Amino acid sequence: MSSLTEKDRPIVQLLLNTGTCPRCILRFCRVGSQTLYRRAYKNLMKDLEEFLRNNQEKEDRVCFDVADPPCKRIRLEHMEGSDDPNHNGALQQIPLINDENTAVENSSMKVCNVCLGILQEFCEADFVKKVCQKVNSADHQFSSFVFSVSLPPQMSVRERAAWLLVKQEMGNLGLSLSKDDIVQLKEAYKWIIHPQLSEELGVPADGKSLFEVSVVFAHPETDEECHFLATACPDCFKPAKNKQSVFTRMAVLKALEKIKEEDFLKHFPCPPSSPKNFCDVLGIECNNSAVFVAGRYNKYSRNLPQTPWIIDGERKLDSSVEELISEHLIAEFKADSFNFSSSGREDVDVRTLGNGRPFAIELVNPRRIHFTAEEMKGLQQTINNSSDKIQVRDLQLVTRSAICRMKEGEEEKTKTYSALIWLDKAIQKEDIAFLDDIKELKLDQKTPLRVLHRRPLAVRCRIIHTMKSEYIDRHHFRLHLKTQAGTYIKEFVHGDFGRTKPNIGSLLNRTADILELDVESVDADWPPTLDN
Amino acid sequence: RICVITLAEAHPLLQSGKTIKNINYQISANCSRLQNKVSGKSKRGAQFLTELAPLCRISSSDGEEYTIYSCIRGRLIEVNENILSNPALLQEKPLTEGYIAVVLPKFEESKSVTQGLLTQKEYEEVLLKRLNSSS
């Protein structure tokens, strides 16, 4: 159904009388022609009144002229209408409808009792300009946009009341109306505003766009209209700690599903009342979806934590791996913040050598999102030039799903280490040779005491796949090991009060301690190696 | 701050000539330290210890019985079961593999617990005084 027909006449009359705006009227009459919604407000009003005055019997008479394409029509209307729509005052003097049943007061644009102005004032060029100003000042790089709108919950209540009203009237005429037949408010709004935004911003609207323009509307005048639902359906409204109001959109919709028609009509006026004010715009925000940068890092300092080490507001050690890497990325991408994650991590005093450890950084709300491979290489160089404590390689843009792949690596991939070990009792070369022959050594490791304050107590079974010893002197040797992910190497060496069994001490029948540890490799194949 | 409870260096059990006959973690009819179960990061379900809470009772072959007390307030995380199967460990490596228990004090009490203990130096002074007063 693309236009109004004879059957719709009583509905149009009813809704107009009770304070519903032309576009909402079109919605409830199931008009699906987007062009009609885009017509200027005052023209739509005129057309509706003409429709009502018109007494044609023919059902298929199309009442609205849809000859011009929408954009052209809007521009034409801008040229014609030198009187800009005044939001709070008179649009124009709308002639009284020549019908005994009506007594509509028409000296100013009344706030629609269903859309509270969304399909009225907030479709106008002025509002579009306001939104675009915000977008342009936000400095985001984008090639398309998705426009999202947050409406106050009481609008679904009013929509329900209007639907019940129309359903009743149609029932009287022997017709039925299902909720799904009505054009959704948000959909109609997007039909009208997308082309205007698209034209001003110079880019298309795209549901999958990474750039989001979101507008939040509120209508404090009618906020309490939802409250009756709490008494009718108490189990839909659970107070959540972080939310200001219990009447969230989801909760209200849920309650509307549950409540019976009779109960609804008992508590809520049908038709809905005419409010005094239009909606307020609580905020217009611009947001780019996060971008992800991955790579591998080497750590050459024995005095650098992975994440900032701060106790009681005081920084214990200068800087951190994540800060040294992210600092430059934040600057180049102009992001609000970052989230750093890596495939496992090492202690402050442990170096990471070899190909390095895979990491990924989520850059939140980046203003710049397009970078060529060359530019990424340049970024990598900048990071590497800025510090000798860490170095990065294979720096590249990746997708969000890449993070899962990386975390898989944490659990599954093997790591190789080099440990410098001290022994209390002297050794000869022959005493440690047997270690090289031990394969797939099973360990039982209780949660190390040094992390027990922040980890649950548990026993972990881990495997040391291979070992290679290097004699240094009577009290020292170097051990290279290849282990399962999640093995605590330090505890394997000193035994952690006997809570890791077996351990180097028990294997050599001595007391052992670890002096130095290096990660020689993290055996992961992700992220893809670039020719650096 | 994790705490490991061990026998003090000057404890009678660590003097020569003593052999351990038995270590018993059942400290009363209703309470066995072996039944201590903790779960999660915050170690819920742990037996709460005060300074004078007994951890275990150790009997030596010469008929003496010694009660080992917690000495600090906190949640009991684990007791050392290795010394049950190998009591000699307690005497051979009292400060490492022969430990008695692991206790986790409340975060807020961490500082006061530490301040209530003696440093190594202070302990040695106490021992010296003891030696001088008995001679």
Side-chain angles (χ1 to χ4, degrees), chain A residues 67-299:
Chain A
D68 291 358
C71 289
K72 192 172 171 193
R73 176 160 285 277
I74 290 171
R75 244 182 258 142
L76 279 174
E77 281 155 1
H78 280 173
M79 292 185 336
E80 287 172 348
S82 52
D83 51 310
D84 275 358
N86 183 345
H87 299 152
N88 295 319
L91 244 190
Q92 70 167 53
Q93 200 66 13
I94 299 171
L96 282 169
I97 296 168
N98 213 359
D99 188 326
E100 297 119 10
N101 291 338
T102 64
V104 182
E105 230 230 350
N106 286 313
S107 56
S108 58
M109 192 205 284
K110 280 174 66 181
V111 180
C112 175
N113 64 344
V114 179
C115 73
L116 304 176
I118 300 290
L119 294 181
Q120 299 173 287
E121 149 163 312
F122 294 106
C123 293
E124 299 296 332
D126 275 7
F127 181 67
V128 172
K129 265 208 173 49
K130 199 171 162 196
V131 174
C132 293
Q133 257 166 22
K134 197 73 202 295
V135 170
N136 291 326
S137 68
D139 194 33
H140 284 79
Q141 191 181 34
F142 57 92
S143 49
S144 64
F145 70 92
V146 61
F147 184 63
S148 70
V149 162
S150 171
L151 299 172
Q154 56 270 35
M155 281 181 65
S156 352
V157 179
R158 284 172 164 261
E159 181 90 3
R160 169 63 57 97
W163 171 61
L164 289 175
L165 179 72
V166 174
K167 193 167 81 135
Q168 195 178 56
E169 179 71 17
M170 293 193 72
N172 295 343
L173 302 167
L175 298 164
S176 69
L177 177 70
S178 131
K179 234 190 303 158
D180 302 325
D181 291 338
I182 300 173
V183 175
Q184 291 301 302
L185 196 155
K186 271 194 190 175
E187 205 183 338
Y189 187 45
K190 290 188 181 179
W191 287 344
I192 304 167
I193 207 165
H194 273 185
Q196 296 183 67
L197 283 174
S198 203
E199 171 142 5
E200 278 282 325
L201 296 174
V203 295
D206 178 2
K208 291 200 224 79
S209 177
L210 298 171
F211 178 61
E212 182 189 26
V213 180
S214 52
V215 181
V216 179
F217 291 105
H219 200 250
E221 187 188 321
T222 54
D223 270 343
E224 292 180 355
E225 285 178 2
C226 308
H227 291 196
F228 74 94
L229 288 169
T231 27
C233 305
D235 50 320
C236 291
F237 299 96
K238 294 191 197 93
K241 269 181 273 185
N242 295 328
K243 304 229 160 70
Q244 287 174 311
S245 168
V246 135
F247 297 100
T248 62
R249 209 167 156 70
M250 282 314 297
V252 168
L253 286 172
K254 222 168 133 195
L256 285 174
E257 291 278 309
K258 285 183 86 177
I259 194 172
K260 289 203 265 285
E261 221 172 280
E262 314 90 66
D263 292 331
F264 183 89
L265 292 169
K266 260 192 260 171
H267 292 100
F268 195 78
C270 175
S273 59
S274 284
K276 293 199 206 73
N277 301 304
F278 287 109
C279 279
D280 297 324
V281 177
L282 275 190
I284 304 172
E285 299 297 326
C286 297
N287 205 294
N288 251 334
S289 298
V291 295
F292 296 86
V293 175
R296 281 190 172 80
Y297 71 83
N298 284 103
K299 177 172 177 271

Side-chain angles (χ1 to χ4, degrees), chain B residues 47-62:
Chain B
Q47 293 171 2
F48 194 81
L49 303 170
T50 55
E51 289 91 334
L52 293 176
L55 287 172
C56 62
R57 291 186 221 282
I58 305 181
S59 8
S60 51
S61 51
D62 57 9

